[in-house]
Amino acid sequence: MPRLESCAWSCSCTARGRHRTQLGGTAAGLAAKVGEMLSSSVSSPSLAMVGRGARSPSTSSASSTTSTTTSSSSGSSSSSTLNWSQHLVQRSVVLFVVGAFMALVLNLLQIQRNVTLFPDEVISTLFSSAWWVPPCCGTAAAVVGLLYPCIDSHLGEPHKFKREWASVMRCIAVFVGINHASAKLDFANNVQLSLTLAALSLGLWWTFDRSRSGLGLGITIAFVATLITQFLVYNGVYQYTSPDFLYIRSWLPCIFFSGGVTVGNIGRQLAMGIPEKPHND
């Protein structure tokens, strides 16, 4: 009996020890898991803060780069606009001076040959011409000279035929010769003279231009200028001798056509190397 009791006691003690060992291992495992969870919860905000801090310099540098690029693009756009405006003003002044000078010279030739008649008080002036002739012709030359390259760029057909100043000077010489022929040549009637000057004017266009825009603008300029001249003659501002085409000479549209082509070539040559006009996207 004592032996059985001692054995039972020892067995119960051994079982309790094993149970306590299992409980202790289970508690230690739970404590380890709780510690891992706490460490992960603490470390994740710190990593997020570190990540934000690591990304903030790149974000600031990207924003600074964007602002620098925007400021540089706006500065280049403003400078391009200023250069384009200055170049346009310079071309307008040159064309105005050329048109005014050619009007004085060619009109003086017409007056000396008694083709164009002005009142007596006009003839007694310094240039033997009306005061309004140079500014009007200069303004018309500036408009035509700026219009030709503008129409070329709008149509997408850049004029590349004989683009040098030597060709432009020869075109001016031929135009002066056509105007001189209108005053010097003597034909049986004005119709023959008009046909001859028309052939010379088309020959000038074919030799120095050969563009559809140049032909169309030349015809338009001749039509509009002829209407304005008829209006002035009708109101008695000046007159032509031996008129045969509604108060004027029938060859006058040929002079306007060749003059438009000549001034257009001057304007095209002046427009070479012009900076592109900036576009606002």
Side-chain angles (χ1 to χ4, degrees):
M1 290 298 292
R3 291 180 180 178
L4 292 172
E5 291 177 356
S6 62
C7 291
W9 176 256
S10 62
C11 290
S12 62
C13 289
T14 303
R16 289 176 182 176
R18 291 177 180 176
H19 183 67
R20 288 177 181 176
T21 303
Q22 292 177 356
L23 290 176
T26 304
L30 291 174
K33 290 182 179 180
V34 170
E36 290 178 357
M37 293 176 62
L38 290 175
S39 62
S40 63
S41 63
V42 172
S43 61
S44 59
S46 63
L47 290 175
M49 293 295 291
V50 171
R52 292 175 183 174
R55 287 193 298 266
S56 61
S58 62
T59 306
S60 61
S61 62
S63 61
S64 62
T65 304
T66 304
S67 61
T68 304
T69 305
T70 304
S71 60
S72 61
S73 62
S74 61
S76 61
S77 177
S78 60
S79 61
S80 300
T81 304
L82 181 61
N83 293 334
W84 186 85
S85 301
Q86 291 177 351
H87 198 275
L88 184 65
V89 171
Q90 292 174 359
R91 290 162 55 202
S92 302
V93 171
V94 173
L95 290 169
F96 180 86
V97 173
V98 171
F101 178 75
M102 293 179 65
L104 285 174
V105 174
L106 299 179
N107 194 37
L108 180 62
L109 177 64
Q110 298 288 340
I111 292 174
Q112 289 179 350
R113 297 294 298 178
N114 292 326
V115 176
T116 306
L117 300 177
F118 283 93
D120 295 335
E121 61 271 12
V122 173
I123 300 300
S124 61
T125 57
L126 179 61
F127 298 104
S128 298
S129 180
W131 64 268
W132 50 267
V133 172
C136 290
C137 293
T139 303
V143 172
V144 172
L146 295 177
L147 189 61
Y148 264 77
C150 181
I151 294 297
D152 291 338
S153 61
H154 180 72
L155 295 177
E157 299 178 355
H159 185 259
K160 299 180 180 179
F161 183 72
K162 291 186 178 182
R163 295 300 297 271
E164 67 272 354
W165 279 111
S167 177
V168 173
M169 297 306 295
R170 288 193 293 269
C171 182
I172 295 174
V174 173
F175 169 64
V176 174
I178 293 175
N179 198 301
H180 187 74
S182 66
K184 290 286 187 178
L185 294 180
D186 294 327
F187 285 86
N189 51 46
N190 286 331
V191 176
Q192 295 179 0
L193 179 59
S194 300
L195 293 177
T196 302
L197 295 182
L200 292 176
S201 300
L202 290 176
L204 182 143
W205 169 79
W206 180 257
T207 304
F208 301 103
D209 194 323
R210 295 189 186 181
S211 64
R212 293 180 299 175
S213 59
L215 180 63
L217 282 174
I219 294 174
T220 304
I221 291 168
F223 178 75
V224 174
T226 301
L227 289 180
I228 294 175
T229 304
Q230 289 175 345
F231 177 78
L232 293 176
V233 174
Y234 178 78
N235 286 276
V237 177
Y238 68 101
Q239 59 181 349
Y240 286 90
T241 58
S242 304
D244 60 333
F245 180 63
L246 297 177
Y247 311 106
I248 62 175
R249 293 286 188 94
S250 57
W251 47 259
L252 195 60
C254 304
I255 301 298
F256 291 142
F257 175 84
S258 58
V261 173
T262 302
V263 175
N265 284 336
I266 297 174
R268 284 168 170 168
Q269 193 67 26
L270 290 174
M272 291 184 65
I274 180 176
E276 294 184 358
K277 184 177 180 180
H279 299 279
N280 296 323
D281 296 334

